[in-house]
Amino acid sequence: MNIFNFIKIDEDSRVPKYKQIVDGIINNISAGNLKMDDKIPSINLFSEEYLLSRDTVEKAYNILKERKVIISIRGKGSYIARTKLISKVNIVFLINKLSSYKLQIYNSFVNGIIGKSHIDLHIYHCDEELFLNLLEKNIGAYDYYVIMPHFKTDKLKHISATLNVVKAIKRIPRNRLIIMDNTISEIKDAFIEIYQDFENDIYRALQKGLKKISKYNKLIIAYPESSVYPYPKRILHGFRKFCVENALDFEVLEELYEDIILRKGDLFITISESDLVNLVNQIRNQEFILGDDIGVISYNDTPLKQLLGITCISTDFKAMGETAAQMIMNKEKGRIKNPFNFIDRNSI
């Protein structure tokens, strides 16, 4: 087959020429004109045929390699490597950390869209440089870009997005951009946005548990000011607002030390998993009764916390992933606040 008989480059089109090449090859695979192991022209031959710069063709080929549509063999050329997933929706999923609750979002998303898409998962560890490299590497290669924006500053403080991150995300066509979990104030027109309202979510959830919370003498939140995976400061703002409005004595600690002083009538709110484990161990070792002498509320629910009977305040991670998948499948656009709940168990 002469591929040049099937791929057309429209000089007057506003679609970038590298994208026309990518789409042309993919469309011809879908049409059956190109099959597995078929050889395609070299970058030099392709650029000469269409009078395009070598860089333009190379960018198109690199995108096709990233999507595993073609494979290059040194000394032999480039070949069609994948045909089964060509007609499916291609999605890249960029998560800030590999935690159990982030995986709940991802798994529910995958289950909601299963069989109709190809999904690539990348973890950028709240790191600006790693995120920018991943996005640059994959820009233009996917139908949808799912991003959970949580970053850290040089001092390991939380920030939703840096200036460079905002600039990079703005390169993504809005009809392909899906922002989940957090918001970016500079980007208000994403195709789909499913977010947590961190300050008001914790405030309202604690209000729902006020009757039980009020029996304790003091509320203590363990909020890590700096962390490799930092948490939004808005969580702390919502906690303070709840305590002040309800005239509750409270204290903010950066972490729960192994020799922390525990008193009957304390109610702890933990955010990090390590603080929760450390606290529960100390309550047991000092022979306090969990949920009676000392209360514990954990931020972000997990199956293990459910099993252990730990009261939680948490967004519905499963619903977040399911909603995003459903909106993609139904081609819906919108901005949705994800449900956030007070989950009453045995620890208060």
Side-chain angles (χ1 to χ4, degrees), residues 125-322:
H125 302 288
C126 297
D127 184 85
E128 176 195 62
E129 184 176 357
L130 180 55
F131 176 86
L132 293 174
N133 288 338
L134 283 170
L135 196 58
E136 179 64 30
K137 183 179 178 181
N138 292 290
I139 199 75
Y142 291 88
D143 299 302
Y144 291 104
Y145 295 78
V146 181
I147 298 173
M148 294 186 189
H150 293 278
F151 294 87
K152 58 191 173 190
T153 66
D154 292 339
K155 296 182 178 181
L156 301 182
K157 308 289 186 181
H158 181 275
I159 185 172
S160 295
T162 66
L163 180 61
N164 289 332
V165 166
V166 171
K167 287 181 179 179
I169 292 177
K170 284 184 175 180
R171 293 175 58 197
I172 302 171
R174 292 301 185 271
N175 62 346
R176 297 187 178 195
L177 177 60
I178 299 168
I179 295 179
M180 294 177 66
D181 194 44
N182 194 13
T183 60
I184 301 178
S185 59
E186 297 88 348
I187 299 176
K188 300 183 181 298
D189 53 353
F191 181 61
I192 295 172
E193 185 176 0
I194 304 170
Y195 66 97
Q196 295 191 60
D197 181 357
F198 291 97
E199 179 173 343
N200 290 315
D201 280 346
I202 186 173
Y203 169 79
R204 291 167 184 154
L206 291 174
Q207 287 284 56
K208 292 178 182 177
L210 179 59
K211 184 176 180 180
K212 281 195 168 184
I213 291 172
S214 297
K215 75 179 185 180
Y216 292 93
N217 301 326
K218 188 172 187 177
L219 274 66
I220 304 164
I221 188 169
Y223 175 83
E225 282 286 344
S226 58
S227 172
V228 175
Y229 299 110
Y231 295 88
K233 197 67 175 284
R234 287 163 284 167
I235 295 172
L236 192 55
H237 296 333
F239 168 77
R240 285 186 170 132
K241 178 181 176 182
F242 167 76
C243 293
V244 170
E245 287 193 5
N246 292 288
L248 299 171
D249 187 20
F250 71 94
E251 184 177 358
V252 178
L253 301 177
E254 285 200 30
E255 64 176 296
L256 298 181
Y257 302 99
E258 291 185 0
D259 55 353
I260 189 171
I261 298 173
L262 301 178
R263 293 191 178 98
K264 186 175 180 178
D266 288 341
L267 171 60
F268 288 86
I269 298 177
T270 63
I271 296 178
S272 75
E273 303 295 287
S274 59
D275 277 339
L276 174 63
V277 172
N278 183 24
L279 176 62
V280 172
N281 281 335
Q282 290 192 65
I283 290 172
R284 290 174 176 172
N285 291 339
Q286 297 183 39
E287 297 184 351
F288 287 109
I289 300 174
L290 180 64
D292 187 2
D293 297 333
I294 293 178
V296 174
I297 298 175
S298 182
Y299 194 89
N300 288 334
D301 194 23
T302 65
L304 182 58
K305 293 173 188 177
Q306 180 181 1
L307 181 65
L308 297 175
I310 302 296
T311 297
C312 291
I313 46 177
S314 179
T315 198
D316 189 332
F317 298 107
K318 184 178 179 182
M320 187 181 293
E322 288 175 345

Side-chain angles (χ1 to χ4, degrees), residues 98-144:
L98 196 61
S99 64
S100 59
Y101 42 90
K102 297 288 181 174
L103 285 178
Q104 283 185 58
I105 299 174
Y106 175 74
N107 289 333
S108 64
F109 179 85
V110 171
N111 290 335
I113 207 166
I114 192 166
K116 302 183 185 302
S117 69
H118 172 72
I119 304 171
D120 289 328
L121 174 66
H122 296 282
I123 316 297
Y124 64 90
H125 302 288
C126 297
D127 184 85
E128 176 195 62
E129 184 176 357
L130 180 55
F131 176 86
L132 293 174
N133 288 338
L134 283 170
L135 196 58
E136 179 64 30
K137 183 179 178 181
N138 292 290
I139 199 75
Y142 291 88
D143 299 302
Y144 291 104

